[in-house]
mmCIF file of all heavy atoms in Angstrom:
data_model
loop_
_atom_site.group_PDB
_atom_site.id
_atom_site.type_symbol
_atom_site.label_atom_id
_atom_site.label_comp_id
_atom_site.label_asym_id
_atom_site.label_seq_id
_atom_site.Cartn_x
_atom_site.Cartn_y
_atom_site.Cartn_z
ATOM 1 N N LYS J 2 22.941 2.714 -16.516
ATOM 2 C CA LYS J 2 22.302 1.575 -15.946
ATOM 3 C C LYS J 2 22.327 1.764 -14.415
ATOM 4 O O LYS J 2 23.153 2.643 -13.846
ATOM 5 C CB LYS J 2 23.130 0.352 -16.175
ATOM 6 C CG LYS J 2 23.102 0.033 -17.835
ATOM 7 C CD LYS J 2 23.820 -1.360 -18.049
ATOM 8 C CE LYS J 2 23.711 -1.682 -19.609
ATOM 9 N NZ LYS J 2 24.514 -2.859 -19.862
ATOM 10 N N LEU J 7 24.515 3.732 -9.051
ATOM 11 C CA LEU J 7 24.888 3.353 -7.781
ATOM 12 C C LEU J 7 26.439 3.821 -7.583
ATOM 13 O O LEU J 7 26.803 4.360 -6.571
ATOM 14 C CB LEU J 7 24.632 1.941 -7.507
ATOM 15 C CG LEU J 7 23.145 1.576 -7.355
ATOM 16 C CD1 LEU J 7 23.075 0.025 -7.191
ATOM 17 C CD2 LEU J 7 22.429 2.292 -6.236
ATOM 18 N N TYR J 22 23.647 6.705 2.118
ATOM 19 C CA TYR J 22 22.628 7.891 1.749
ATOM 20 C C TYR J 22 21.204 7.223 1.540
ATOM 21 O O TYR J 22 21.000 6.217 0.910
ATOM 22 C CB TYR J 22 23.050 8.405 0.409
ATOM 23 C CG TYR J 22 22.411 9.745 0.014
ATOM 24 C CD1 TYR J 22 22.534 10.875 0.869
ATOM 25 C CD2 TYR J 22 21.460 9.963 -1.033
ATOM 26 C CE1 TYR J 22 21.867 12.008 0.564
ATOM 27 C CE2 TYR J 22 20.954 11.034 -1.403
ATOM 28 C CZ TYR J 22 21.050 12.170 -0.532
ATOM 29 O OH TYR J 22 20.495 13.279 -0.924
ATOM 30 N N PRO J 25 14.336 8.685 0.193
ATOM 31 C CA PRO J 25 12.801 8.360 0.315
ATOM 32 C C PRO J 25 12.183 8.645 -1.002
ATOM 33 O O PRO J 25 12.651 9.273 -1.968
ATOM 34 C CB PRO J 25 12.456 9.537 1.371
ATOM 35 C CG PRO J 25 13.705 9.954 1.965
ATOM 36 C CD PRO J 25 14.777 9.880 0.921
ATOM 37 N N GLU J 33 2.675 10.491 -1.601
ATOM 38 C CA GLU J 33 3.078 9.252 -1.958
ATOM 39 C C GLU J 33 3.042 9.147 -3.573
ATOM 40 O O GLU J 33 4.030 8.494 -4.186
ATOM 41 C CB GLU J 33 2.126 8.165 -1.564
ATOM 42 C CG GLU J 33 2.421 6.720 -1.994
ATOM 43 C CD GLU J 33 1.536 5.607 -1.458
ATOM 44 O OE1 GLU J 33 0.817 5.912 -0.517
ATOM 45 O OE2 GLU J 33 1.523 4.572 -2.126
ATOM 46 N N GLU J 37 7.168 13.157 -12.035
ATOM 47 C CA GLU J 37 8.459 12.706 -12.323
ATOM 48 C C GLU J 37 9.561 13.421 -11.863
ATOM 49 O O GLU J 37 10.654 12.883 -11.467
ATOM 50 C CB GLU J 37 8.551 12.556 -13.911
ATOM 51 C CG GLU J 37 7.658 11.543 -14.495
ATOM 52 C CD GLU J 37 7.861 11.454 -16.058
ATOM 53 O OE1 GLU J 37 8.743 12.139 -16.582
ATOM 54 O OE2 GLU J 37 7.128 10.750 -16.689
ATOM 55 N N CYS J 55 15.060 3.863 -0.137
ATOM 56 C CA CYS J 55 16.270 3.196 -0.678
ATOM 57 C C CYS J 55 17.430 3.696 0.102
ATOM 58 O O CYS J 55 17.518 4.967 0.302
ATOM 59 C CB CYS J 55 16.436 3.418 -2.155
ATOM 60 S SG CYS J 55 17.883 2.560 -2.869
ATOM 61 N N ALA J 62 23.249 -2.035 -0.791
ATOM 62 C CA ALA J 62 22.139 -1.167 -1.006
ATOM 63 C C ALA J 62 20.958 -1.971 -0.808
ATOM 64 O O ALA J 62 20.898 -3.251 -1.053
ATOM 65 C CB ALA J 62 22.159 -0.566 -2.451
ATOM 66 N N ARG J 79 15.949 -6.870 -9.835
ATOM 67 C CA ARG J 79 16.852 -7.950 -10.149
ATOM 68 C C ARG J 79 18.051 -7.656 -10.919
ATOM 69 O O ARG J 79 18.001 -6.830 -12.014
ATOM 70 C CB ARG J 79 16.035 -9.043 -11.086
ATOM 71 C CG ARG J 79 16.703 -10.288 -11.231
ATOM 72 C CD ARG J 79 15.789 -11.451 -11.937
ATOM 73 N NE ARG J 79 14.696 -11.654 -11.092
ATOM 74 C CZ ARG J 79 13.438 -11.519 -11.410
ATOM 75 N NH1 ARG J 79 13.080 -10.968 -12.582
ATOM 76 N NH2 ARG J 79 12.510 -11.859 -10.618
ATOM 77 N N LEU J 88 8.609 -5.036 3.738
ATOM 78 C CA LEU J 88 8.060 -4.483 4.895
ATOM 79 C C LEU J 88 6.891 -5.301 5.511
ATOM 80 O O LEU J 88 6.069 -5.881 4.719
ATOM 81 C CB LEU J 88 7.571 -3.006 4.695
ATOM 82 C CG LEU J 88 8.633 -1.886 4.607
ATOM 83 C CD1 LEU J 88 7.954 -0.637 4.037
ATOM 84 C CD2 LEU J 88 9.220 -1.693 5.827
ATOM 85 N N CYS J 95 14.295 -3.318 9.988
ATOM 86 C CA CYS J 95 13.936 -1.807 9.785
ATOM 87 C C CYS J 95 15.329 -1.112 9.262
ATOM 88 O O CYS J 95 16.357 -1.710 9.315
ATOM 89 C CB CYS J 95 13.567 -1.137 10.954
ATOM 90 S SG CYS J 95 14.595 -1.035 12.278
ATOM 91 N N SER J 97 17.043 1.298 10.425
ATOM 92 C CA SER J 97 18.132 1.627 11.356
ATOM 93 C C SER J 97 18.794 0.348 11.831
ATOM 94 O O SER J 97 20.024 0.262 11.979
ATOM 95 C CB SER J 97 17.444 2.225 12.632
ATOM 96 O OG SER J 97 16.453 1.425 13.238
ATOM 97 N N SER J 120 9.275 14.435 12.418
ATOM 98 C CA SER J 120 9.140 13.282 13.339
ATOM 99 C C SER J 120 10.024 12.064 12.845
ATOM 100 O O SER J 120 10.698 11.348 13.574
ATOM 101 C CB SER J 120 7.682 12.916 13.537
ATOM 102 O OG SER J 120 7.104 12.573 12.405
ATOM 103 N N LEU J 125 14.630 8.454 13.350
ATOM 104 C CA LEU J 125 15.714 7.704 12.774
ATOM 105 C C LEU J 125 17.010 8.253 13.416
ATOM 106 O O LEU J 125 17.918 7.314 13.645
ATOM 107 C CB LEU J 125 15.710 7.941 11.247
ATOM 108 C CG LEU J 125 16.938 7.179 10.474
ATOM 109 C CD1 LEU J 125 16.820 5.766 10.764
ATOM 110 C CD2 LEU J 125 16.829 7.582 9.013
ATOM 111 N N VAL J 139 21.892 16.716 4.308
ATOM 112 C CA VAL J 139 22.594 17.133 3.103
ATOM 113 C C VAL J 139 21.687 18.073 2.300
ATOM 114 O O VAL J 139 20.723 17.637 1.700
ATOM 115 C CB VAL J 139 23.054 15.984 2.290
ATOM 116 C CG1 VAL J 139 23.899 16.444 1.128
ATOM 117 C CG2 VAL J 139 23.881 15.019 3.089
ATOM 118 N N ASP J 141 22.156 19.903 -0.479
ATOM 119 C CA ASP J 141 22.091 19.698 -1.930
ATOM 120 C C ASP J 141 21.913 18.230 -2.166
ATOM 121 O O ASP J 141 22.795 17.363 -1.829
ATOM 122 C CB ASP J 141 23.460 20.146 -2.539
ATOM 123 C CG ASP J 141 23.666 21.620 -2.390
ATOM 124 O OD1 ASP J 141 22.646 22.365 -2.450
ATOM 125 O OD2 ASP J 141 24.880 21.953 -2.180
ATOM 126 N N ASN J 142 20.680 17.891 -2.594
ATOM 127 C CA ASN J 142 20.248 16.452 -2.913
ATOM 128 C C ASN J 142 21.397 15.758 -3.797
ATOM 129 O O ASN J 142 21.638 16.294 -4.912
ATOM 130 C CB ASN J 142 18.860 16.363 -3.481
ATOM 131 C CG ASN J 142 18.360 14.892 -3.389
ATOM 132 O OD1 ASN J 142 18.788 14.052 -4.083
ATOM 133 N ND2 ASN J 142 17.432 14.764 -2.424
ATOM 134 N N ASP J 145 20.254 14.738 -7.410
ATOM 135 C CA ASP J 145 20.103 15.825 -8.277
ATOM 136 C C ASP J 145 21.396 16.151 -9.060
ATOM 137 O O ASP J 145 21.422 16.559 -10.135
ATOM 138 C CB ASP J 145 19.590 17.154 -7.604
ATOM 139 C CG ASP J 145 18.238 16.959 -7.032
ATOM 140 O OD1 ASP J 145 17.590 15.808 -7.279
ATOM 141 O OD2 ASP J 145 17.736 17.799 -6.282
ATOM 142 N N GLY J 168 -18.877 18.077 -4.533
ATOM 143 C CA GLY J 168 -19.858 17.562 -3.739
ATOM 144 C C GLY J 168 -20.175 18.469 -2.488
ATOM 145 O O GLY J 168 -21.238 18.342 -1.766
ATOM 146 N N SER J 173 -18.455 25.475 3.399
ATOM 147 C CA SER J 173 -18.863 24.330 4.269
ATOM 148 C C SER J 173 -17.798 23.483 4.859
ATOM 149 O O SER J 173 -17.814 23.236 5.923
ATOM 150 C CB SER J 173 -19.861 23.267 3.395
ATOM 151 O OG SER J 173 -20.254 22.251 4.242
ATOM 152 N N LEU J 175 -14.669 24.553 5.248
ATOM 153 C CA LEU J 175 -13.918 25.333 6.207
ATOM 154 C C LEU J 175 -14.574 25.424 7.557
ATOM 155 O O LEU J 175 -14.042 25.458 8.586
ATOM 156 C CB LEU J 175 -13.707 26.697 5.528
ATOM 157 C CG LEU J 175 -12.565 26.894 4.508
ATOM 158 C CD1 LEU J 175 -12.685 28.233 3.938
ATOM 159 C CD2 LEU J 175 -11.233 26.557 5.016
ATOM 160 N N GLU J 184 -13.052 22.395 18.821
ATOM 161 C CA GLU J 184 -13.328 21.123 19.663
ATOM 162 C C GLU J 184 -12.087 20.623 20.338
ATOM 163 O O GLU J 184 -11.954 20.093 21.340
ATOM 164 C CB GLU J 184 -14.019 20.132 18.954
ATOM 165 C CG GLU J 184 -15.492 20.595 18.582
ATOM 166 C CD GLU J 184 -16.131 19.567 17.664
ATOM 167 O OE1 GLU J 184 -15.449 18.590 17.202
ATOM 168 O OE2 GLU J 184 -17.360 19.655 17.503
ATOM 169 N N CYS J 187 -7.838 24.343 20.001
ATOM 170 C CA CYS J 187 -6.811 24.979 19.357
ATOM 171 C C CYS J 187 -7.277 26.247 18.691
ATOM 172 O O CYS J 187 -8.479 26.479 18.547
ATOM 173 C CB CYS J 187 -6.111 24.007 18.216
ATOM 174 S SG CYS J 187 -5.426 22.528 18.895
ATOM 175 N N PRO J 213 -5.172 8.130 -6.133
ATOM 176 C CA PRO J 213 -6.096 7.193 -5.650
ATOM 177 C C PRO J 213 -6.700 7.677 -4.214
ATOM 178 O O PRO J 213 -7.775 7.307 -3.914
ATOM 179 C CB PRO J 213 -5.472 5.912 -5.521
ATOM 180 C CG PRO J 213 -4.308 6.079 -6.481
ATOM 181 C CD PRO J 213 -4.007 7.467 -6.599
#
Side-chain angles (χ1 to χ4, degrees):
K2 295 181 179 180
L7 295 175
Y22 191 65
E33 178 175 346
E37 292 182 3
C55 184
R79 189 173 296 119
L88 286 171
C95 63
S97 59
S120 58
L125 182 58
V139 182
D141 295 324
N142 194 290
D145 297 352
S173 173
L175 286 172
E184 291 173 352
C187 299

